[in-house]
Amino acid sequence: MSGFAAHPPTPRRSRPHQYDAAQLRRDTWNDLQYQAHWLREVAQQGGEFEEPRAAVAEELETLRHLEGYWAYPGLNTLNQLNRLFERGQYESLAEQVKDITRMLISDAYRTIGLRGEESSRDSRRQSHGQSRRDQQHRSPSADSQLDRNEDQRPYFEVLFVDDIDEEEHEQLRNSLLDLRRDEDEFIYDVVFARSFEDAAIAILFNHTIQSCVFRYNLRFRTQNEHPIFQRYLDMMRSEKPARVYGMERTLELGRISKILRPELDLFVVTDSAVEDFAGRLGNTFRRVFYRLDNYLELHLSILKGIRSRYETPFFDALRKYAQRPTGVFHALPIARGKSITNSHWAKDMGKFYGPNIFLAETSATSGGLDSLLQPHGAIKRAQDLAARAFGAQRTYFATNGTSTANKIVVQALVRPGDIVLVAHDCHKSHHYAMVLAGSYPVYLDAYPLTEYTMYGAVPLREIKHQLLELKRAGKLDRVRMLLLTNCTFDGITYHPEKIMREVLAIKPDMIFLWDEAWFGFAAFNPTLRMRTGMYAAKKLREDFKSESYRAKYRAWRESFDKLDPDDDATWLDQTLMPDPDQARVRVYATQSTHKTLTALRQGSMMHVHDQDFEQHARDAFNEAFMTHTSTSPNYQIIASLDVGRRQVELEGYEMVQKSISLAMTMRERIYSHPTIKSCFSVLRPADLIPEAYRPSGLEFYYDPDQGWARMEEAWRNDEFALDPTRVTVHVGRTGIDGDTLRHLLMDQHDIQINKTSRNSVLFLTNIGMSRGDVAHLIEVLGRIGQEIEERLMSSSNIDRRMHDNRVASLTQDLPPLPNFSFFHPAFRPESDTDSAEGDIRRAFFMSYDVNLLEHFKLGAEIDAALASGRELVSAAFITPYPPGFPVLVPGQVITRDILDYLLAVDVKEIHGYKPEYGLRVFTEDAVEQAQTTLIEQPVPHLTETGE
């Protein structure tokens, strides 16, 4: 017997701590292919095949728990494979497993289409319920058939939930599939679940499910005990399904399904009078059917639901426009591509991009197109669909990035003299927005992570403390907005619902702006979604309208009124509840769609959930939009936003789940790779979020000894949570700082990253990545680690000491992380020496006069000035990249801690700072003059009516 046959063709993967059920399914089919091949070889050569047979049996048993939730290959096919296995037909078993695995891994099973419809229908009936897909893929020539008959129509699966037997399932399935036509835009297959819990598992496990049909005859418990599904069941149970029966259970399943995957189309079928339920379906179900006497109506309704999400109004209009033989007697010579094709020197651009991008380039707003500045047609419809997808009341597209989106929202909502509470480490666009709006920022301090030279996020207690200080100073009425970054670049996410709930208890009319530039994908995952601004806004509106919340509020208020209202502990040490009759839910979110979803660069969205928008914000928002939006927006960006919305409504859940799974795989491989873990380590939630903000006790997502932790409780309850798609790797033990490693990865290994700190690098997984990308990164990190180990083994004592010194500087001798210092009294409103807010606009424009400025170089020159007792006041934004936020703003006093930080950061890009000149500061005379002028001419403050 050959050595090849004596052992499996590849070592079996160890799966003691599998994170993702879909990944487990793919890996199990892969492993079954290897084991079946091994079993066939051993059997052919007459060897002992107990070991390979046991291996195949184990994989088949695992798949028995998994395949019931999928139409392809499904349980029917799996049962056929089991029969081949039991009969010893190992040649057929290996071939069929190979074909199935290829179809699954390549997703080719989605492109099977309707070929051979009549013969397939006959064969299906003759095979006593065997699936047409099973018939087609049992043939060894399945690949060649696919090449000849590939169907490009999008494929999805429909979930039927009904406790009926398999024969009835197959009859129902055949009745629906017989209705499929060549002219249908989409193609689907049917999968079944018999219980409430099985339906929840299927919805979370099978990402191809797009429509669900629920009957009223449902068991609650699943009989599937595989532990991989426990996470899904926990997610379902966390929504507290009611203990109801009959049709009430069906309606409850609909409610839970819409929470888990709100994009799904839900239908209900009842044998009772449909009139009894039609008025109770609300927005949960698209339609109710009386029995299933008319399968055609159900079939057409399923396709109509998919069509409503597949629609891309502006992209469709732009494609139609591009097909028209339009003569351009206006602007844009590049339109139609004629300035390229007629050129002797620019033809290479046409070859590079192809013709369509030029055919679709236009400055027209007619001919089926629309105006971004005043949309009423295709763009308006596309924005409405985006609002539906992201859970907003209305959505606006931006074609010049979230930096501009932030300026639009701030200018629309904030008036001169208003106070804005803002994290000091927010993106620089917010600081510039406040300059333009003339608002006064009160900077909030995020908790420091000195060990990793980065900031975390702003604790709720800090927000409430600043509000109480402003209330004590008689300025609470001037506080207009709370502006926070959710999630931060490093992945720290706030709990918007909790923050807004408690802030509204102190300031009932507060406006909230959540900068979700890096968090647009979160709306399409049930765990992450609850931390988005739009989800939280909707939840608060629903709570404030409910009688149950009002009863809880009355009980809380009765207890609260017994406490001392002048004691800060009364407000800081307990959870506050807003008055539902006073609180106004006014929430905005800006998202860089292009950063985490499918859109061309600078494609962004602004989402609105503001119950006072029509009365108090619409006109101002439109004016701000006009102010900052180009009259010549890029139509390709708008089209990409339209298509990106379609994509996430139809496959966003699948793609986001895969990106999370990839990040988890990356964690596991870094922890388990012996060379990598000696030089690199993944920062855990316990490393980036202090224990006080993690009441769940979650410390890690993956631990080599304990496996995968469940993060759902932490995401539901903790003050801060860590975005699982962000993998921050500590690199201090390599002796290479983060910025240097970033350039090393790009220049030598073609791996691009953006965010680093002095001793860490951030790897983000996104919806465009694959397992191959992760494998390449792991290989590169292992190679770098090996090179470091080999270099240290052959280094001299001097070289070793130099390495140790570099490691010490990256792990011990770390720069301070300064909080925001304070505004100089000359740049505080009305020369109020006790105020925290500052007139950043006044300082910004005062710096335009070069006669009021001087420069100090970092080092001895500026040290001498501080030693003399002089207060140095910044005249500029000073923004190191990374981290990418201003450490100094105009009007801010420069402190020793800030200088130490600037001296310690080893990045080459610092916006606002020219080393040859030094820091730009105001002269002493300029500061004195500014303070005198401020006393003589106090700044006016606008009321709600603008007076």
Side-chain angles (χ1 to χ4, degrees):
M1 182 169 57
S2 70
F4 174 78
H7 303 283
T10 187
R12 298 189 64 204
R13 280 179 49 87
S14 175
R15 298 191 296 266
H17 304 305
Q18 191 77 31
Y19 171 77
D20 181 43
Q23 188 62 59
L24 172 64
R25 178 173 176 255
R26 288 189 293 269
D27 288 345
T28 303
W29 275 108
N30 264 324
D31 287 348
L32 178 59
Q33 179 182 198
Y34 293 135
Q35 313 313 329
H37 181 72
W38 179 30
L39 177 60
R40 177 182 62 183
E41 292 293 326
V42 172
Q44 287 176 344
Q45 299 177 25
E48 295 293 332
F49 49 79
E50 287 186 9
E51 184 180 354
R53 184 176 169 82
V56 169
E58 182 181 347
E59 306 297 356
L60 289 172
E61 175 61 19
T62 299
L63 289 172
R64 184 180 66 81
H65 293 280
L66 305 178
E67 279 307 312
Y69 301 103
W70 298 78
Y72 179 82
L75 281 179
N76 282 342
T77 298
L78 190 67
N79 290 336
Q80 293 167 29
L81 296 179
N82 267 299
R83 286 193 289 271
L84 293 175
F85 174 67
E86 291 167 358
R87 295 168 184 166
Q89 296 175 314
Y90 302 138
E91 177 73 28
S92 296
L93 174 67
E95 285 301 313
Q96 291 190 32
V97 169
K98 180 183 71 174
D99 287 342
I100 291 170
T101 303
R102 286 178 179 175
M103 300 291 285
L104 285 174
I105 299 305
S106 65
D107 275 345
Y109 73 94
R110 299 190 187 206
T111 63
I112 293 167
L114 290 169
R115 60 181 182 271
E117 179 64 35
E118 293 301 325
S119 60
S120 293
R121 183 183 296 116
D122 293 340
S123 64
R124 185 174 64 247
R125 289 168 177 165
Q126 294 170 6
S127 61
H128 304 289
Q130 289 178 341
S131 152
R132 181 192 316 133
R133 292 180 182 273
D134 299 339
Q135 295 281 335
Q136 290 170 332
H137 299 305
R138 281 196 298 274
S139 168
S141 59
D143 291 338
S144 59
Q145 286 183 15
L146 182 65
D147 292 337
R148 293 194 303 269
N149 299 284
E150 188 170 324
D151 191 320
Q152 295 300 324
R153 286 175 295 175
Y155 166 84
F156 65 99
E157 294 184 358
V158 178
L159 174 68
F160 269 79
V161 187
D162 196 351
D163 191 14
I164 56 179
D165 61 34
E166 291 185 11
E167 183 176 351
E168 290 177 290
H169 279 172
E170 198 60 30
Q171 291 173 354
L172 190 157
R173 176 176 178 273
N174 291 341
S175 297
L176 276 174
L177 298 191
D178 284 344
L179 294 171
R180 301 190 311 182
R181 304 166 298 169
D182 289 332
E183 57 266 31
D184 290 342
E185 300 170 77
F186 319 103
I187 187 167
Y188 66 86
D189 208 336
V190 181
V191 65
F192 296 91
R194 290 184 172 180
S195 72
F196 191 111
E197 290 186 339
D198 282 318
I201 292 172
I203 287 169
L204 292 170
F205 178 27
N206 184 347
H207 41 254
T208 66
I209 290 173
Q210 297 291 342
S211 301
C212 302
V213 182
F214 297 154
R215 296 291 296 268
Y216 65 92
N217 186 26
L218 303 181
R219 290 183 286 113
F220 186 81
R221 297 291 182 189
T222 178
Q223 296 179 351
N224 193 337
E225 300 298 330
H226 197 285
I228 196 70
F229 297 129
Q230 191 58 50
R231 181 165 59 92
Y232 296 150
L233 293 175
D234 288 346
M235 292 169 65
M236 181 272 294
R237 291 164 185 159
S238 67
E239 300 301 334
K240 301 176 181 177
R243 294 180 176 273
V244 289
Y245 302 91
M247 197 62 191
E248 297 296 331
R249 177 171 288 176
T250 300
L251 299 179
E252 183 68 0
L253 177 58
R255 182 186 73 85
I256 297 291
S257 299
K258 274 297 184 183
I259 293 174
L260 298 176
R261 287 185 61 186
E263 76 277 9
L264 295 179
D265 296 319
L266 305 184
F267 304 92
V268 63
V269 177
T270 176
D271 292 341
S272 305
V274 293
E275 298 84 357
D276 295 341
F277 303 101
R280 302 169 55 198
L281 301 182
N283 296 323
T284 302
F285 293 90
R286 290 184 66 93
R287 184 170 174 180
V288 58
F289 292 92
Y290 178 63
R291 297 182 177 175
L292 276 180
D293 297 331
N294 192 337
Y295 289 101
L296 179 59
E297 285 298 309
L298 176 59
H299 170 75
L300 295 176
S301 296
I302 290 170
L303 295 181
K304 180 181 178 182
I306 301 300
R307 191 179 305 114
S308 70
R309 283 182 276 157
Y310 190 78
E311 175 191 8
T312 47
F314 185 75
F315 179 54
D316 294 341
L318 192 61
R319 284 194 296 180
K320 290 179 181 178
Y321 176 88
Q323 294 169 0
R324 299 171 61 173
T326 306
V328 180
F329 292 87
H330 186 44
L332 225 60
I334 203 173
R336 318 304 296 176
K338 293 180 180 179
S339 70
I340 300 294
T341 58
N342 295 334
S343 170
H344 297 290
W345 298 92
K347 292 182 183 292
D348 56 340
M349 184 178 181
K351 292 179 180 178
F352 181 78
Y353 284 107
N356 283 342
I357 191 171
F358 304 112
L359 291 172
E361 193 60 75
T362 178
S363 59
T365 58
S366 57
L369 301 178
D370 200 0
S371 168
L372 181 63
L373 293 172
Q374 197 170 11
H376 60 275
I379 293 178
K380 174 66 165 59
R381 176 63 177 153
Q383 291 182 153
D384 290 344
L385 293 176
R388 178 187 70 188
F390 288 88
Q393 292 176 330
R394 52 181 54 80
T395 291
Y396 294 83
F397 290 167
T399 59
N400 40 356
T402 304
S403 294
T404 295
N406 290 333
K407 294 167 189 171
I408 290 172
V409 176
V410 171
Q411 182 174 318
L413 301 171
V414 175
R415 306 154 301 184
D418 282 343
I419 295 174
V420 176
L421 272 61
V422 55
H424 82 277
D425 59 342
C426 68
H427 189 265
K428 68 178 186 177
S429 61
H430 294 295
H431 304 272
Y432 285 111
M434 288 182 286
V435 168
L436 297 174
S439 61
Y440 300 153
V442 170
Y443 286 110
L444 306 170
D445 291 328
Y447 65 81
L449 294 165
T450 305
E451 186 177 355
Y452 310 114
T453 62
M454 66 179 71
Y455 290 91
V458 179
L460 176 58
R461 188 181 183 89
E462 161 77 357
I463 299 170
K464 293 198 292 184
H465 169 74
Q466 288 291 354
L467 282 172
L468 294 177
E469 289 291 317
L470 291 163
K471 181 179 181 181
R472 190 175 292 113
K475 301 177 182 179
L476 191 60
D477 62 315
R478 287 170 47 197
V479 178
R480 182 75 170 173
M481 175 183 284
L482 173 62
L483 195 166
L484 296 171
T485 303
N486 187 46
C487 66
T488 71
F489 209 154
D490 299 294
I492 308 301
T493 62
Y494 289 90
H495 199 308
E497 181 191 341
K498 285 188 176 182
I499 288 178
M500 294 194 293
R501 193 183 295 273
E502 295 213 40
V503 167
L504 289 173
I506 302 174
K507 174 71 174 170
D509 59 346
M510 182 72 89
I511 300 173
F512 301 89
L513 171 54
W514 296 98
D515 183 342
E516 296 181 349
W518 292 91
F519 208 43
F521 67 94
F524 306 97
N525 178 273
T527 300
L528 276 56
R529 184 185 305 117
M530 66 183 73
R531 297 249 172 178
T532 64
M534 291 299 100
Y535 176 91
K538 181 181 179 182
K539 181 70 162 55
L540 290 176
R541 286 291 304 277
E542 292 173 349
D543 282 355
F544 293 164
K545 290 187 292 186
S546 71
E547 184 53 43
S548 61
Y549 176 85
R550 291 175 176 272
K552 292 177 183 177
Y553 171 75
R554 288 191 293 268
W556 173 85
R557 189 74 209 192
E558 183 178 350
S559 173
F560 182 81
D561 286 341
K562 297 176 183 179
L563 304 175
D564 181 3
D566 296 324
D567 184 358
D568 280 2
T570 299
W571 301 88
L572 298 177
D573 294 343
Q574 65 169 308
T575 300
L576 307 178
M577 295 185 69
D579 184 342
D581 294 324
Q582 297 293 323
R584 311 298 294 171
V585 178
R586 308 192 64 187
V587 185
Y588 295 74
T590 56
Q591 293 176 348
S592 295
T593 314
H594 66 99
K595 284 187 170 72
T596 62
L597 299 174
T598 296
L600 292 175
R601 190 164 177 81
Q602 296 192 42
S604 297
M605 296 186 188
M606 293 166 280
H607 304 299
V608 181
H609 197 298
D610 180 353
Q611 66 184 100
D612 294 335
F613 185 84
E614 291 295 327
Q615 184 176 358
H616 293 303
R618 182 191 62 192
D619 293 339
F621 193 98
N622 290 337
E623 289 298 326
F625 192 84
M626 294 282 189
T627 300
H628 293 281
T629 299
S630 170
T631 55
S632 302
N634 187 309
Y635 278 178
Q636 317 312 320
I637 295 176
I638 299 173
S640 72
L641 290 170
D642 197 11
V643 174
R645 185 278 313 160
R646 174 176 73 184
Q647 181 183 51
V648 292
E649 275 205 293
L650 288 164
E651 57 183 345
Y653 173 75
E654 172 188 0
M655 301 181 87
V656 173
Q657 189 60 36
K658 282 184 178 178
S659 68
I660 295 174
S661 180
L662 288 175
M664 295 302 189
T665 299
M666 191 187 306
R667 287 180 171 88
E668 187 268 335
R669 296 309 302 154
I670 291 174
Y671 275 114
S672 61
H673 194 292
T675 302
I676 296 177
K677 69 181 182 181
S678 67
C679 299
F680 303 94
S681 60
V682 176
L683 298 187
R684 309 164 303 158
D687 298 316
L688 297 174
I689 303 172
E691 186 177 3
Y693 309 128
R694 290 182 292 107
S696 69
L698 178 71
E699 295 186 356
F700 54 83
Y701 285 148
Y702 176 78
D703 180 83
D705 298 322
Q706 302 180 58
W708 301 105
R710 291 180 184 151
M711 65 181 183
E712 285 73 26
E713 180 187 350
W715 274 76
R716 184 171 294 278
N717 297 315
D718 287 358
E719 182 168 347
F720 301 112
L722 179 63
D723 175 10
T725 69
R726 284 166 168 76
V727 182
T728 301
V729 176
H730 187 261
V731 302
R733 296 198 306 275
T734 66
I736 307 173
D737 66 84
D739 191 57
T740 300
L741 184 60
R742 175 169 69 96
H743 285 92
L744 173 66
L745 290 171
M746 185 62 199
D747 296 341
Q748 297 186 21
H749 303 287
D750 299 322
I751 292 176
Q752 180 182 351
I753 60 173
N754 290 328
K755 171 65 168 64
T756 65
S757 73
R758 192 157 187 269
N759 58 13
S760 71
V761 294
L762 174 64
F763 299 101
L764 289 83
T765 57
N766 59 55
I767 65 170
M769 295 183 65
S770 68
R771 296 179 78 177
D773 296 318
V774 173
H776 176 54
L777 174 62
I778 295 301
E779 179 185 358
V780 168
L781 292 180
R783 195 180 307 161
I784 292 173
Q786 185 177 5
E787 291 171 356
I788 293 173
E789 288 182 353
E790 291 176 353
R791 186 171 62 249
L792 290 177
M793 290 176 61
S794 60
S795 64
S796 65
N797 291 337
I798 295 177
D799 291 337
R800 184 59 188 246
R801 281 197 300 271
M802 291 175 62
H803 172 81
D804 292 342
N805 289 338
R806 288 195 300 269
V807 171
S809 72
L810 295 174
T811 58
Q812 301 173 28
D813 307 328
L814 299 168
L817 289 177
N819 288 329
F820 181 83
S821 56
F822 55 91
F823 286 104
H824 190 278
F827 300 104
R828 296 176 188 169
E830 304 169 19
S831 193
D832 185 349
T833 57
D834 294 328
S835 64
E837 69 271 24
D839 190 348
I840 192 172
R841 176 187 176 92
R842 187 163 180 263
F844 179 85
F845 285 108
M846 188 171 139
S847 70
Y848 280 24
D849 187 344
V850 296
N851 296 315
L852 304 179
L853 307 178
E854 57 183 317
H855 295 80
F856 287 90
K857 292 185 177 180
L858 293 177
E861 187 175 351
I862 201 167
D863 290 344
L866 283 182
S868 70
R870 177 180 170 183
E871 278 193 319
L872 297 177
V873 182
S874 176
F877 289 103
I878 305 298
T879 308
Y881 269 81
F885 62 85
V887 297
L888 283 171
V889 302
Q892 180 183 353
V893 174
I894 301 171
T895 63
R896 180 77 261 168
D897 285 348
I898 293 172
L899 292 177
D900 289 342
Y901 178 80
L902 289 172
L903 287 167
V905 294
D906 43 16
V907 298
K908 299 177 178 61
E909 185 178 354
I910 302 180
H911 295 184
Y913 173 72
K914 295 182 178 180
E916 63 271 25
Y917 293 105
L919 290 177
R920 204 172 357 146
V921 302
F922 289 112
T923 65
E924 290 182 284
D925 288 343
V927 173
E928 183 178 350
Q929 179 184 349
Q931 192 159 5
T932 303
T933 305
L934 183 61
I935 294 173
E936 294 174 352
Q937 298 179 346
V939 180
H941 305 293
L942 297 180
T943 64
E944 182 70 36
T945 59
E947 299 177 350

